[in-house]
Amino acid sequence: MDVIEAIHSRRSVKKFKSEPVRRDLIEKLLEAAVQAPNHYKVRPWRFVILEGPARERLGDVMADIFHRKFPDVKPEALDKERAKPLRAPLLIAVGVDQPTEPKVLEIENICAAAAACENILLAAQAFGLGGHWRTGEAARDLEIKKFLGFSADQHLIAFLYIGYPEFIPEPYPRMGFEDRTTWME
């Protein structure tokens, strides 16, 4: 699959088969990720790979946080929160390092890590995998960052759910670039 085809055919997949993603494929996804451009070659991305029981432990942390926020919540709601990391057999949490040099801007590090995320999703598409990029409150929660090994000042910009799709979502019309583009000569 060429890159243009991958870009145009990629869709967010929300239902995955339970089949695990092979380690060699995960490594290829990460190899694609680190090809992302990054200013000053600082490699600001951090990847945490969660499979099997690690996803369950993350779900327990998420449910515990949710329960503390909403002590009267019904058990079904806690179960739903606990199941979030189990949506796919592979979960890649993507964090961003803070700049350590004055010439490096925080936004450049964030953009580089976001480009790495897109590379993962496009590579997943090329390998016959599906992916879904999620964030939400969990991505900003200090306890979840700590569980994943991130410091409080690191941004957690993605939970990438990856696996073999149960089905490929139908393409939908995407808006063009025309109304978002200004040509200057």
Side-chain angles (χ1 to χ4, degrees):
M1 175 180 297
D2 76 13
V3 69
I4 299 300
E5 181 183 349
I7 290 168
H8 286 277
S9 63
R10 192 202 64 75
R11 300 288 178 267
S12 292
V13 172
K14 297 179 183 173
K15 298 280 184 185
F16 298 91
K17 296 177 182 175
S18 61
E19 178 183 348
V21 179
R22 295 186 332 258
R23 173 79 178 246
D24 65 306
L25 277 181
I26 298 170
E27 290 176 355
K28 287 179 181 179
L29 296 176
L30 297 172
E31 287 171 1
V34 300
Q35 302 311 307
N38 67 108
H39 209 189
Y40 300 111
K41 298 177 179 58
V42 295
R43 302 171 56 233
W45 39 72
R46 298 290 171 179
F47 308 106
V48 178
I49 309 303
L50 296 107
E51 300 177 282
R55 296 173 307 132
E56 293 171 9
R57 290 193 305 274
L58 176 59
D60 289 340
V61 171
M62 293 169 79
D64 187 51
I65 292 165
F66 191 73
H67 191 246
R68 285 195 309 262
K69 278 185 179 177
F70 306 101
D72 298 329
V73 70
K74 294 183 179 187
E76 301 82 35
L78 287 177
D79 291 342
K80 184 177 178 181
E81 192 70 18
R82 186 174 287 110
K84 286 181 177 179
L86 305 177
R87 293 173 175 146
L90 171 63
L91 182 57
I92 303 175
V94 182
V96 184
D97 288 344
Q98 285 291 326
T100 57
E101 303 170 43
K103 66 182 180 180
V104 178
L105 301 178
E106 181 179 33
I107 189 68
E108 291 172 346
N109 282 2
I110 294 168
C111 290
C117 291
E118 181 66 4
N119 281 3
I120 289 172
L121 293 173
L122 291 173
Q125 175 75 6
F127 295 136
L129 298 165
H132 193 104
W133 184 337
R134 290 183 175 266
T135 54
E137 277 190 52
R140 295 178 294 281
D141 189 277
L142 296 179
E143 194 172 338
I144 289 174
K145 286 182 183 185
K146 182 179 178 181
F147 171 82
L148 294 169
F150 296 130
S151 62
D153 69 343
Q154 283 180 293
H155 295 288
L156 175 53
I157 64 163
F159 289 107
L160 300 177
Y161 290 82
I162 307 286
Y164 294 95
E166 277 191 19
F167 63 92
I168 306 293
E170 288 293 319
Y172 55 89
R174 302 234 183 191
M175 300 299 288
F177 63 87
E178 295 84 2
D179 69 326
R180 302 290 181 191
T181 305
T182 301
W183 298 86
M184 297 177 73
E185 293 184 27

Short mmCIF file of all heavy atoms in Angstrom, two decimals, residues 6-16 87-88 117-118 121-122 124-125 129-135 159-172 174:
data_model
loop_
_atom_site.label_atom_id
_atom_site.label_comp_id
_atom_site.label_asym_id
_atom_site.label_seq_id
_atom_site.Cartn_x
_atom_site.Cartn_y
_atom_site.Cartn_z
N ALA A 6 -2.78 4.84 1.86
CA ALA A 6 -2.94 4.67 3.30
C ALA A 6 -3.60 5.89 3.92
O ALA A 6 -4.51 5.77 4.76
CB ALA A 6 -1.58 4.41 3.97
N ILE A 7 -3.19 7.08 3.50
CA ILE A 7 -3.78 8.31 4.03
C ILE A 7 -5.27 8.39 3.71
O ILE A 7 -6.09 8.70 4.58
CB ILE A 7 -3.05 9.55 3.48
CG1 ILE A 7 -1.64 9.65 4.08
CG2 ILE A 7 -3.85 10.83 3.74
CD1 ILE A 7 -0.74 10.67 3.40
N HIS A 8 -5.63 8.08 2.47
CA HIS A 8 -7.02 8.22 2.06
C HIS A 8 -7.91 7.07 2.52
O HIS A 8 -9.13 7.27 2.64
CB HIS A 8 -7.11 8.38 0.53
CG HIS A 8 -6.68 9.74 0.08
ND1 HIS A 8 -7.52 10.82 0.08
CD2 HIS A 8 -5.48 10.20 -0.37
CE1 HIS A 8 -6.87 11.90 -0.34
NE2 HIS A 8 -5.63 11.55 -0.62
N SER A 9 -7.34 5.92 2.81
CA SER A 9 -8.18 4.79 3.20
C SER A 9 -8.23 4.57 4.71
O SER A 9 -9.07 3.82 5.19
CB SER A 9 -7.70 3.51 2.52
OG SER A 9 -6.39 3.17 2.92
N ARG A 10 -7.36 5.23 5.46
CA ARG A 10 -7.35 5.04 6.91
C ARG A 10 -8.63 5.55 7.55
O ARG A 10 -9.10 6.63 7.25
CB ARG A 10 -6.14 5.76 7.54
CG ARG A 10 -5.91 5.34 8.99
CD ARG A 10 -5.12 6.35 9.78
NE ARG A 10 -5.81 7.62 9.92
CZ ARG A 10 -6.84 7.84 10.73
NH1 ARG A 10 -7.33 6.86 11.47
NH2 ARG A 10 -7.41 9.02 10.79
N ARG A 11 -9.19 4.76 8.41
CA ARG A 11 -10.38 5.11 9.18
C ARG A 11 -10.15 4.73 10.63
O ARG A 11 -9.43 3.77 10.91
CB ARG A 11 -11.63 4.36 8.67
CG ARG A 11 -11.99 4.63 7.23
CD ARG A 11 -12.56 6.03 7.06
NE ARG A 11 -12.86 6.34 5.68
CZ ARG A 11 -12.04 6.95 4.83
NH1 ARG A 11 -10.83 7.30 5.21
NH2 ARG A 11 -12.40 7.22 3.61
N SER A 12 -10.79 5.42 11.53
CA SER A 12 -10.71 5.03 12.93
C SER A 12 -11.52 3.76 13.13
O SER A 12 -12.71 3.71 12.81
CB SER A 12 -11.26 6.14 13.83
OG SER A 12 -10.40 7.25 13.80
N VAL A 13 -10.87 2.74 13.65
CA VAL A 13 -11.50 1.45 13.90
C VAL A 13 -11.87 1.39 15.37
O VAL A 13 -11.04 1.72 16.23
CB VAL A 13 -10.54 0.30 13.52
CG1 VAL A 13 -11.10 -1.05 13.94
CG2 VAL A 13 -10.25 0.32 12.02
N LYS A 14 -13.09 0.97 15.65
CA LYS A 14 -13.55 0.95 17.04
C LYS A 14 -13.83 -0.46 17.56
O LYS A 14 -13.99 -0.64 18.76
CB LYS A 14 -14.78 1.83 17.18
CG LYS A 14 -14.46 3.28 16.88
CD LYS A 14 -15.66 4.18 16.99
CE LYS A 14 -15.27 5.59 16.60
NZ LYS A 14 -16.37 6.49 16.53
N LYS A 15 -13.85 -1.43 16.67
CA LYS A 15 -14.10 -2.82 17.08
C LYS A 15 -12.95 -3.68 16.55
O LYS A 15 -12.67 -3.69 15.34
CB LYS A 15 -15.42 -3.34 16.50
CG LYS A 15 -16.65 -2.60 16.97
CD LYS A 15 -17.05 -3.07 18.34
CE LYS A 15 -18.35 -2.39 18.74
NZ LYS A 15 -18.75 -2.70 20.06
N PHE A 16 -12.30 -4.39 17.48
CA PHE A 16 -11.12 -5.17 17.14
C PHE A 16 -11.33 -6.64 17.49
O PHE A 16 -12.03 -6.96 18.44
CB PHE A 16 -9.90 -4.65 17.90
CG PHE A 16 -9.55 -3.23 17.59
CD1 PHE A 16 -10.08 -2.19 18.35
CD2 PHE A 16 -8.69 -2.93 16.55
CE1 PHE A 16 -9.75 -0.88 18.07
CE2 PHE A 16 -8.37 -1.62 16.27
CZ PHE A 16 -8.89 -0.59 17.02
N ARG A 87 -10.41 -2.20 24.80
CA ARG A 87 -11.08 -2.04 23.51
C ARG A 87 -10.30 -2.68 22.37
O ARG A 87 -10.88 -3.01 21.34
CB ARG A 87 -11.27 -0.56 23.20
CG ARG A 87 -12.23 0.14 24.12
CD ARG A 87 -12.20 1.63 23.82
NE ARG A 87 -13.20 2.34 24.59
CZ ARG A 87 -13.03 3.57 25.05
NH1 ARG A 87 -11.91 4.22 24.83
NH2 ARG A 87 -14.00 4.15 25.73
N ALA A 88 -9.00 -2.79 22.52
CA ALA A 88 -8.14 -3.38 21.48
C ALA A 88 -7.06 -4.19 22.17
O ALA A 88 -6.73 -3.93 23.34
CB ALA A 88 -7.51 -2.28 20.62
N CYS A 117 2.48 9.74 16.15
CA CYS A 117 1.20 9.03 16.29
C CYS A 117 0.58 8.76 14.92
O CYS A 117 0.11 7.65 14.65
CB CYS A 117 0.23 9.84 17.14
SG CYS A 117 0.66 9.96 18.88
N GLU A 118 0.57 9.76 14.07
CA GLU A 118 -0.01 9.57 12.73
C GLU A 118 0.79 8.53 11.95
O GLU A 118 0.21 7.72 11.23
CB GLU A 118 -0.07 10.90 11.98
CG GLU A 118 -0.69 10.80 10.61
CD GLU A 118 -2.17 10.42 10.59
OE1 GLU A 118 -2.80 10.28 11.65
OE2 GLU A 118 -2.70 10.27 9.47
N LEU A 121 -0.43 5.18 13.01
CA LEU A 121 -1.74 4.86 12.44
C LEU A 121 -1.65 4.51 10.96
O LEU A 121 -2.32 3.59 10.49
CB LEU A 121 -2.71 6.01 12.68
CG LEU A 121 -3.08 6.26 14.14
CD1 LEU A 121 -3.92 7.53 14.26
CD2 LEU A 121 -3.81 5.07 14.73
N LEU A 122 -0.81 5.23 10.23
CA LEU A 122 -0.65 4.94 8.80
C LEU A 122 0.08 3.61 8.58
O LEU A 122 -0.29 2.83 7.69
CB LEU A 122 0.08 6.08 8.10
CG LEU A 122 -0.72 7.38 7.98
CD1 LEU A 122 0.15 8.50 7.43
CD2 LEU A 122 -1.97 7.18 7.13
N ALA A 124 0.01 1.11 10.68
CA ALA A 124 -0.98 0.09 11.06
C ALA A 124 -1.90 -0.20 9.87
O ALA A 124 -2.17 -1.36 9.55
CB ALA A 124 -1.78 0.55 12.28
N GLN A 125 -2.34 0.84 9.20
CA GLN A 125 -3.20 0.69 8.03
C GLN A 125 -2.49 -0.15 6.96
O GLN A 125 -3.07 -1.06 6.38
CB GLN A 125 -3.56 2.08 7.48
CG GLN A 125 -4.34 2.08 6.21
CD GLN A 125 -5.79 1.71 6.41
OE1 GLN A 125 -6.25 1.55 7.53
NE2 GLN A 125 -6.51 1.55 5.33
N LEU A 129 -3.76 -3.61 9.97
CA LEU A 129 -4.27 -3.37 11.32
C LEU A 129 -5.20 -2.17 11.30
O LEU A 129 -5.18 -1.38 10.35
CB LEU A 129 -3.11 -3.10 12.29
CG LEU A 129 -2.10 -4.22 12.48
CD1 LEU A 129 -0.84 -3.71 13.15
CD2 LEU A 129 -2.72 -5.34 13.30
N GLY A 130 -5.95 -2.02 12.34
CA GLY A 130 -6.76 -0.83 12.51
C GLY A 130 -6.28 -0.06 13.71
O GLY A 130 -5.58 -0.60 14.57
N GLY A 131 -6.64 1.20 13.77
CA GLY A 131 -6.24 2.03 14.90
C GLY A 131 -7.27 3.08 15.23
O GLY A 131 -8.09 3.44 14.39
N HIS A 132 -7.19 3.54 16.45
CA HIS A 132 -8.08 4.61 16.91
C HIS A 132 -7.30 5.46 17.90
O HIS A 132 -6.72 4.93 18.86
CB HIS A 132 -9.32 4.02 17.59
CG HIS A 132 -10.40 5.01 17.81
ND1 HIS A 132 -11.52 5.06 17.04
CD2 HIS A 132 -10.53 5.99 18.72
CE1 HIS A 132 -12.32 6.04 17.47
NE2 HIS A 132 -11.72 6.62 18.49
N TRP A 133 -7.29 6.76 17.69
CA TRP A 133 -6.56 7.70 18.55
C TRP A 133 -7.56 8.30 19.52
O TRP A 133 -8.54 8.93 19.13
CB TRP A 133 -5.95 8.78 17.67
CG TRP A 133 -5.08 9.81 18.33
CD1 TRP A 133 -5.06 10.20 19.64
CD2 TRP A 133 -4.09 10.60 17.68
NE1 TRP A 133 -4.12 11.18 19.84
CE2 TRP A 133 -3.51 11.45 18.64
CE3 TRP A 133 -3.64 10.69 16.36
CZ2 TRP A 133 -2.51 12.36 18.33
CZ3 TRP A 133 -2.65 11.59 16.05
CH2 TRP A 133 -2.09 12.42 17.04
N ARG A 134 -7.32 8.11 20.81
CA ARG A 134 -8.20 8.66 21.84
C ARG A 134 -7.37 9.44 22.85
O ARG A 134 -6.18 9.17 23.04
CB ARG A 134 -8.95 7.55 22.57
CG ARG A 134 -9.99 6.86 21.70
CD ARG A 134 -10.73 5.82 22.55
NE ARG A 134 -11.81 5.23 21.82
CZ ARG A 134 -13.08 5.64 21.86
NH1 ARG A 134 -13.42 6.66 22.62
NH2 ARG A 134 -14.02 5.03 21.18
N THR A 135 -8.04 10.38 23.53
CA THR A 135 -7.41 11.10 24.63
C THR A 135 -8.40 11.14 25.79
O THR A 135 -8.55 10.17 26.49
CB THR A 135 -6.97 12.53 24.21
OG1 THR A 135 -8.09 13.21 23.65
CG2 THR A 135 -5.81 12.49 23.24
N PHE A 159 -3.81 7.81 23.39
CA PHE A 159 -3.97 6.39 23.63
C PHE A 159 -4.31 5.83 22.26
O PHE A 159 -5.40 6.07 21.73
CB PHE A 159 -5.12 6.10 24.60
CG PHE A 159 -4.84 6.51 26.02
CD1 PHE A 159 -5.46 7.62 26.57
CD2 PHE A 159 -3.97 5.77 26.81
CE1 PHE A 159 -5.22 7.99 27.87
CE2 PHE A 159 -3.73 6.14 28.13
CZ PHE A 159 -4.36 7.26 28.67
N LEU A 160 -3.36 5.13 21.66
CA LEU A 160 -3.58 4.55 20.34
C LEU A 160 -4.03 3.11 20.52
O LEU A 160 -3.27 2.27 21.01
CB LEU A 160 -2.31 4.62 19.49
CG LEU A 160 -1.76 6.02 19.23
CD1 LEU A 160 -0.45 5.93 18.45
CD2 LEU A 160 -2.76 6.88 18.48
N TYR A 161 -5.27 2.85 20.15
CA TYR A 161 -5.83 1.50 20.21
C TYR A 161 -5.53 0.84 18.87
O TYR A 161 -5.90 1.36 17.82
CB TYR A 161 -7.34 1.56 20.45
CG TYR A 161 -7.69 2.02 21.84
CD1 TYR A 161 -7.71 3.38 22.16
CD2 TYR A 161 -7.99 1.10 22.83
CE1 TYR A 161 -8.02 3.80 23.45
CE2 TYR A 161 -8.31 1.52 24.12
CZ TYR A 161 -8.32 2.87 24.41
OH TYR A 161 -8.63 3.28 25.68
N ILE A 162 -4.85 -0.30 18.91
CA ILE A 162 -4.39 -0.96 17.69
C ILE A 162 -4.77 -2.44 17.74
O ILE A 162 -4.65 -3.08 18.78
CB ILE A 162 -2.84 -0.87 17.54
CG1 ILE A 162 -2.35 0.57 17.66
CG2 ILE A 162 -2.36 -1.53 16.27
CD1 ILE A 162 -2.61 1.46 16.48
N GLY A 163 -5.20 -2.96 16.60
CA GLY A 163 -5.50 -4.39 16.50
C GLY A 163 -6.03 -4.72 15.12
O GLY A 163 -6.09 -3.86 14.23
N TYR A 164 -6.40 -5.98 14.97
CA TYR A 164 -7.00 -6.41 13.71
C TYR A 164 -8.47 -6.04 13.74
O TYR A 164 -9.18 -6.42 14.68
CB TYR A 164 -6.81 -7.92 13.52
CG TYR A 164 -5.36 -8.29 13.36
CD1 TYR A 164 -4.60 -8.69 14.46
CD2 TYR A 164 -4.73 -8.17 12.13
CE1 TYR A 164 -3.25 -8.99 14.32
CE2 TYR A 164 -3.38 -8.48 11.98
CZ TYR A 164 -2.66 -8.89 13.09
OH TYR A 164 -1.32 -9.16 12.95
N PRO A 165 -8.93 -5.28 12.75
CA PRO A 165 -10.32 -4.82 12.79
C PRO A 165 -11.33 -5.95 12.63
O PRO A 165 -11.11 -6.88 11.86
CB PRO A 165 -10.42 -3.85 11.61
CG PRO A 165 -9.14 -3.91 10.88
CD PRO A 165 -8.20 -4.82 11.60
N GLU A 166 -12.42 -5.86 13.39
CA GLU A 166 -13.54 -6.79 13.18
C GLU A 166 -14.18 -6.49 11.82
O GLU A 166 -14.63 -7.39 11.14
CB GLU A 166 -14.58 -6.64 14.28
CG GLU A 166 -14.25 -7.42 15.52
CD GLU A 166 -15.42 -7.47 16.50
OE1 GLU A 166 -16.58 -7.21 16.12
OE2 GLU A 166 -15.14 -7.76 17.67
N PHE A 167 -14.21 -5.22 11.47
CA PHE A 167 -14.69 -4.80 10.15
C PHE A 167 -14.07 -3.45 9.86
O PHE A 167 -13.64 -2.73 10.76
CB PHE A 167 -16.23 -4.74 10.09
CG PHE A 167 -16.82 -3.72 11.01
CD1 PHE A 167 -17.08 -2.42 10.59
CD2 PHE A 167 -17.13 -4.05 12.33
CE1 PHE A 167 -17.62 -1.48 11.45
CE2 PHE A 167 -17.67 -3.12 13.20
CZ PHE A 167 -17.91 -1.83 12.75
N ILE A 168 -14.00 -3.13 8.58
CA ILE A 168 -13.45 -1.85 8.15
C ILE A 168 -14.61 -0.86 8.01
O ILE A 168 -15.55 -1.13 7.26
CB ILE A 168 -12.71 -1.97 6.79
CG1 ILE A 168 -11.66 -3.08 6.84
CG2 ILE A 168 -12.11 -0.64 6.38
CD1 ILE A 168 -10.51 -2.82 7.75
N PRO A 169 -14.55 0.24 8.72
CA PRO A 169 -15.63 1.23 8.59
C PRO A 169 -15.72 1.74 7.15
O PRO A 169 -14.71 1.86 6.45
CB PRO A 169 -15.20 2.36 9.53
CG PRO A 169 -14.22 1.75 10.46
CD PRO A 169 -13.54 0.65 9.70
N GLU A 170 -16.93 2.02 6.74
CA GLU A 170 -17.15 2.58 5.41
C GLU A 170 -16.53 3.96 5.31
O GLU A 170 -16.57 4.73 6.27
CB GLU A 170 -18.66 2.68 5.13
CG GLU A 170 -19.32 1.34 4.89
CD GLU A 170 -18.85 0.67 3.63
OE1 GLU A 170 -18.68 1.35 2.60
OE2 GLU A 170 -18.64 -0.56 3.68
N PRO A 171 -15.98 4.27 4.15
CA PRO A 171 -15.47 5.64 3.99
C PRO A 171 -16.61 6.65 4.08
O PRO A 171 -17.75 6.33 3.76
CB PRO A 171 -14.86 5.66 2.60
CG PRO A 171 -15.07 4.33 2.01
CD PRO A 171 -15.81 3.47 2.98
N TYR A 172 -16.29 7.79 4.54
CA TYR A 172 -17.29 8.86 4.60
C TYR A 172 -16.67 10.08 3.93
O TYR A 172 -15.45 10.22 3.87
CB TYR A 172 -17.70 9.16 6.04
CG TYR A 172 -16.56 9.49 6.96
CD1 TYR A 172 -16.11 10.80 7.11
CD2 TYR A 172 -15.90 8.48 7.67
CE1 TYR A 172 -15.05 11.10 7.95
CE2 TYR A 172 -14.84 8.77 8.50
CZ TYR A 172 -14.42 10.09 8.63
OH TYR A 172 -13.37 10.38 9.45
N ARG A 174 -15.05 13.37 3.29
CA ARG A 174 -14.24 14.29 4.08
C ARG A 174 -14.31 15.66 3.43
O ARG A 174 -14.40 15.77 2.21
CB ARG A 174 -12.79 13.83 4.14
CG ARG A 174 -12.65 12.44 4.72
CD ARG A 174 -11.70 12.45 5.83
NE ARG A 174 -11.52 11.09 6.35
CZ ARG A 174 -10.89 10.84 7.45
NH1 ARG A 174 -10.39 11.83 8.14
NH2 ARG A 174 -10.75 9.62 7.87
#
